[in-house]
Amino acid sequence: IPGAVLLALAVAGFVMNRKRVFAGISMGWVLVSFLLLCVLGWGTAENGLTLYTLYFGWAYAALLVYLVESVLRAIGLARFSWIVYALGMAALLTVNLPQMLALVRFAITYYPI
């Protein structure tokens, strides 16, 4: 479900900025990722989907930034976009921090200096 929501937001970001060349390139890359991962299923058998975020994540992020900028501009709050980005970064940190700490604990346990 979160992936479908992210895909829908990326498509909305493209639709609202379809005249920008970079939005078109990003949407093309999103379509390639959808084709490879959802339609063909490449990478799912060996659970290597985390690696694919390095290949395709930039396109989703770019379209989400375009979406946020378009929505804020439409409602007249474009100058407050930094607040939205700060909240998004805080949310990502909150979600990812426990796993990053677990990774550090694993490294300390199994790879002592």
Side-chain angles (χ1 to χ4, degrees), residues 35-85:
L35 175 69
L36 287 178
L37 300 176
C38 295
V39 176
L40 297 177
W42 289 0
T44 56
E46 67 271 0
N47 199 15
L49 295 178
T50 303
L51 178 64
Y52 287 109
T53 60
L54 299 173
Y55 300 145
F56 302 118
W58 66 267
Y60 288 91
L63 291 172
L64 290 177
V65 168
Y66 277 152
L67 176 65
V68 168
E69 289 177 355
S70 297
V71 169
L72 291 177
R73 193 173 36 251
I75 61 175
L77 297 175
R79 64 178 177 224
F80 297 112
S81 62
W82 65 273
I83 295 173
V84 174
Y85 298 132

Side-chain angles (χ1 to χ4, degrees), residues 13-35:
F14 169 71
V15 169
M16 295 180 81
N17 296 280
R18 62 188 167 277
K19 293 182 181 179
R20 293 185 179 195
V21 174
F22 189 69
I25 293 169
S26 298
M27 190 62 204
W29 206 236
V30 165
L31 291 174
V32 167
S33 75
F34 183 80
L35 175 69

